[in-house]
């Protein structure tokens, strides 16, 4: 989500061309008003060293060797799941598409929600594509490319449980979510203090609480994620008329200091969103959403203006 910049400034110093040696002035000697050739050579050497040092400060491209370490989820059907050692879902589709456009391919690894920032700042992963919502606070520490999808936080219940149909019906109910998500933060606000919110370590545990133990009355996370769960759990359903907070904007996250790579991925994402490939990948990975929502492309596909305002920035552009 429910939420693996250094600029190199070109020197303004210019080197004036050395004038031809005049009559009676030997090469390497210092005539009147002239700089010795040895001094000029030393100056050039110093400038070359300075340029090399500046270049050394620029981190290598994340795409340099053609393979990028990408953190994603493993327990969210539809968005990112692992089956038979193979990663699939819309998040992984997005990663493959944008990296292909910059001449690289992903090497996926599993990252829990609460570790998404840490694996980037400690350089364990180059990118995180794991339903990671772009927020103002997160933009202070990370760069984002996106959004590549937009969704509101929602509610999922057992299919035969008709007790919850509108927001007031959730009062007094036990609602499960998991740490590291914007869903947990939103439901902890005083506005929802009449809901019995509790956290489990991960999505799988919350689903088990809802389906098997029945210790939860509902699970709350982004609707896009919830619809994915219903694809493998037909005895569960998303409550269509209950949402929380503002829209969540999923982004591709990276550590700061790779702004040029970020901009290349932004351009690749803009092309992806402008093509039919985005809609095809989304509908293939999350077929439950087009079935439930006739205006799904309008509801879940980001606008290019939003991509421009949130990508590769320290704060949203207004």
């Amino acid at each position: 989500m429910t939420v693996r910049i250094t600029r190199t400034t070109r020197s303004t110093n210019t080197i004036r061309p050395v004038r031809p040696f005049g009559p009676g002035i030997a090469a390497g000697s210092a005539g009147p008003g002239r700089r010795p050739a040895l001094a000029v050579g030393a100056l050039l050497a110093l400038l070359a060293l300075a340029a090399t040092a500046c270049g050394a400060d620029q981190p290598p491209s994340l795409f340099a060797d053609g393979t990028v370490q990408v953190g994603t989820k493993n327990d969210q059907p539809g968005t990112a799941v692992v089956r038979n050692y193979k990663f699939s879902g819309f998040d992984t589709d997005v990663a493959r598409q944008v990296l292909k456009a910059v001449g690289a391919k992903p090497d996926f690894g599993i990252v829990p929600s609460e570790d998404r920032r840490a694996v980037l700042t400690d350089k364990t992963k180059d990118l995180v594509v794991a339903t990671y919502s772009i927020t103002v606070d997160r933009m202070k520490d990370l760069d984002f490319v996106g959004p590549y999808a937009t969704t509101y936080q929602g509610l999922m219940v057992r299919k035969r449980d008709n007790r919850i149909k509108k927001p007031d019906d959730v009062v007094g109910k036990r609602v499960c979510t998991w740490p590291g998500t914007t869903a947990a933060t939103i439901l902890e606000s005083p506005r929802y203090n009449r809901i019995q919110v509790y956290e489990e370590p991960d999505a799988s545990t919350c689903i088990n609480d809802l389906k098997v133990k029945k210790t939860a009355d509902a699970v709350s996370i982004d609707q896009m994620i919830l619809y994915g769960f219903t694809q493998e759990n037909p005895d569960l359903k998303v409550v269509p008329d209950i949402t929380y907070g503002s829209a969540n904007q999923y982004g591709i996250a990276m550590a700061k200091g790779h702004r040029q790579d970020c901009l290349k991925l932004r351009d690749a994402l803009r092309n992806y969103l402008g093509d039919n490939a985005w809609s095809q990948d989304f509908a293939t990975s999350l077929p439950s959403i087009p079935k439930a929502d006739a205006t799904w492309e309008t509801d879940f596909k980001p606008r290019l203006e939003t991509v421009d305002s949130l990508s590769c920035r320290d704060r949203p552009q207004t």
Side-chain angles (χ1 to χ4, degrees):
M1 180 175 160
T2 221
V3 195
R4 261 150 167 84
I5 313 175
T6 302
R7 293 194 178 95
T8 302
T9 304
R10 295 185 181 272
S11 173
T12 56
N13 296 328
T14 58
I15 302 174
R16 299 182 182 276
V18 180
R19 296 178 181 177
F21 298 112
I25 302 176
S29 66
R34 298 183 184 276
R35 189 181 300 274
L38 182 60
V40 173
L43 177 61
L44 291 172
L46 286 173
L47 290 173
L49 286 172
T52 301
C54 290
D57 290 339
Q58 190 71 253
S61 171
L62 298 175
F63 320 134
D65 64 1
T67 300
V68 179
Q69 301 298 317
V70 179
T72 191
K73 306 304 286 296
N74 70 322
D75 60 352
Q76 293 180 182
T79 55
V81 71
V82 181
R83 296 285 185 269
N84 298 320
Y85 306 101
K86 181 181 178 180
F87 287 83
S88 64
F90 187 62
D91 284 357
T92 60
D93 289 339
V94 171
R96 290 187 180 100
Q97 291 277 11
V98 296
L99 286 174
K100 181 180 179 181
V102 297
K105 61 181 180 180
D107 182 7
F108 291 112
I110 299 167
V111 56
S113 294
E114 64 269 28
D115 293 341
R116 290 176 293 192
R117 177 184 178 278
V119 298
L120 293 171
T121 56
D122 67 13
K123 309 300 183 183
T124 305
K125 300 296 180 188
D126 300 315
L127 304 176
V128 164
V129 190
T131 54
Y132 201 13
S133 293
I134 306 171
T135 68
V136 174
D137 284 341
R138 288 171 178 171
M139 291 176 75
K140 295 175 184 176
D141 301 318
L142 302 172
D143 270 349
F144 284 89
V145 175
Y148 61 84
T150 300
T151 181
Y152 282 88
Q153 181 177 337
L155 207 70
M156 182 173 65
V157 299
R158 293 181 288 274
K159 195 165 190 176
R160 296 183 179 180
D161 187 351
N162 296 314
R163 295 175 301 161
I164 300 176
K165 296 182 179 179
K166 57 185 187 299
D168 288 346
D169 295 336
V170 191
V171 173
K173 302 296 191 297
R174 283 177 56 81
V175 177
C176 187
T177 187
W178 50 95
T181 66
T182 55
T185 303
I186 289 173
L187 291 179
E188 286 171 357
S189 68
R191 180 178 179 182
Y192 304 113
N193 59 8
R194 297 169 65 193
I195 301 174
Q196 298 182 43
V197 181
Y198 73 98
E199 290 187 354
E200 290 290 1
D202 49 41
S204 300
T205 308
C206 275
I207 298 299
N208 191 62
D209 282 3
L210 183 61
K211 287 181 57 179
V212 181
K213 293 183 177 180
K214 298 188 177 179
T215 52
D217 297 302
V219 170
S220 184
I221 198 74
D222 299 343
Q223 285 187 324
M224 185 169 152
I225 297 173
L226 294 177
Y227 275 113
F229 284 135
T230 65
Q231 293 172 181
E232 293 194 357
N233 299 277
D235 51 342
L236 302 178
K237 65 180 180 181
V238 177
V239 183
D241 298 325
I242 297 180
T243 61
Y244 300 101
S246 57
N248 293 294
Q249 314 280 4
Y250 292 157
I252 301 168
M254 66 179 68
K256 286 192 179 294
H258 299 277
R259 191 55 62 89
Q260 291 304 312
D261 287 341
C262 187
L263 292 171
K264 289 178 182 178
L265 288 178
R266 180 204 61 186
D267 293 343
L269 177 62
R270 291 181 95 264
N271 292 334
Y272 180 46
L273 288 167
D275 191 16
N276 289 331
W278 184 95
S279 298
Q280 292 171 358
D281 288 342
F282 190 96
T284 299
S285 293
L286 291 156
S288 56
I289 292 179
K291 289 179 182 177
D293 184 356
T295 60
W296 63 276
E297 285 185 282
T298 301
D299 296 338
F300 290 88
K301 187 174 185 179
R303 296 167 57 90
L304 295 181
E305 293 84 354
T306 309
V307 174
D308 292 338
S309 70
L310 296 178
S311 293
C312 313
R313 299 183 183 279
D314 299 326
R315 64 187 64 83
Q317 183 185 54
T318 57

